[in-house]
Amino acid sequence: MADRVALDLAYLIETNVYKPGDRLREIELSERFKVSRAPVREALRILATRSLVHIEPMKGATVARLSDREARESVEISAVLFGFAARKAAIHRNDEDIPALCRQVERLEAMTGAGVEPEEFFRQTLRAGFAVLDAAKGGRLRSLILDVRAGAAHNFGPYGFTTEELRVRAAQRWRDLADAIVRGDGDEADRQAQLTHVDSLTAALKITP
């Protein structure tokens, strides 16, 4: 139970529901996840060992803050893991996973125009990424990627998608990734998956200090 809560909480951190510095109150989390406080407390300890949560005696737990260097390293590591996930998705794809992935990519392509908030576009890339992870059929791999990326999104996240040109390029990467998975081309799926991370990180670094 604690492992499940830790995984779900890592997802909420990754998707900006909980941001760096936010208090993580046991009673609120137990109500959210519909569990007692004991597994919540253990989940917080698990995430603390992974540097996602900071626990201070007498003050409780907060979402940890990554330095820019740590965040960049997290994105680079997750790119390699996500590439592996895309390779597995190309192998294990089925008639249920492919339409789900294509729908997420189509939504991303529809969000490239002017007037789209970078944060909104970024969240859609996360949804597309989770569709790839679903197709990969690797629960442990999903957990590893969430652990590595948690917190990094707050440092860069939407900054890689601030212009229409950047969003169009990103959507094309995701389309190429989806097409490779549909074809069952593991090598190309791996390459395109890593590029989705590299492109957004490179663009973000040109904007962030």
Side-chain angles (χ1 to χ4, degrees):
M1 183 69 71
D3 287 336
R4 182 182 66 79
V5 172
L7 179 61
D8 291 344
L9 182 53
Y11 169 77
L12 294 178
I13 294 172
E14 165 68 9
T15 54
N16 286 353
V17 175
Y18 291 110
K19 298 177 174 58
D22 282 356
R23 288 285 304 278
L24 298 170
R25 296 177 173 84
E26 291 180 10
I27 189 168
E28 292 178 3
L29 293 175
S30 66
E31 291 173 355
R32 175 185 283 272
F33 297 122
K34 295 179 172 56
V35 298
S36 67
R37 294 177 66 173
V40 169
R41 191 175 301 115
E42 182 59 27
L44 292 172
R45 292 194 188 106
I46 291 171
L47 295 182
T49 65
R50 300 172 187 171
S51 300
L52 304 182
V53 168
H54 176 67
I55 299 177
E56 190 172 354
M58 306 303 293
K59 292 186 178 180
T62 57
V63 179
R65 297 180 185 274
L66 294 182
S67 68
D68 282 353
R69 180 188 61 78
E70 290 171 329
R72 292 171 192 174
E73 186 178 65
S74 294
V75 174
E76 291 164 354
I77 294 171
S78 69
V80 176
L81 292 173
F82 188 56
F84 180 58
R87 182 182 293 274
K88 286 175 64 68
I91 297 171
H92 299 298
R93 70 200 187 286
N94 59 41
D95 292 340
E96 180 180 345
D97 297 322
I98 293 301
L101 172 59
C102 289
R103 282 195 299 271
Q104 297 299 343
V105 173
E106 287 167 3
R107 290 170 186 166
L108 200 61
E109 291 171 326
M111 296 169 60
T112 57
V116 174
E117 291 295 327
E119 175 72 26
E120 183 181 356
F121 188 89
F122 169 65
R123 286 180 179 273
Q124 184 57 33
T125 67
L126 294 179
R127 296 185 188 101
F130 284 120
V132 173
L133 295 179
D134 288 342
K137 309 301 182 190
R140 176 59 176 158
L141 183 58
R142 181 191 185 101
S143 177
L144 285 171
I145 292 174
L146 281 175
D147 283 351
V148 169
R149 280 186 57 86
H154 306 293
N155 294 60
F156 301 110
Y159 290 111
F161 312 112
T162 52
T163 68
E164 184 174 352
E165 180 182 359
L166 289 172
R167 292 192 292 272
V168 168
R169 180 175 179 177
Q172 184 60 56
R173 287 290 189 206
W174 283 96
R175 170 54 61 190
D176 292 341
L177 168 57
D179 288 347
I181 291 174
V182 170
R183 296 195 308 271
D185 187 340
D187 288 343
E188 182 63 10
D190 188 332
R191 189 177 78 87
Q192 291 296 340
Q194 293 198 46
L195 286 174
T196 63
H197 282 54
V198 172
D199 282 357
S200 61
L201 175 60
T202 300
L205 291 177
K206 292 179 180 179
I207 297 171
T208 56

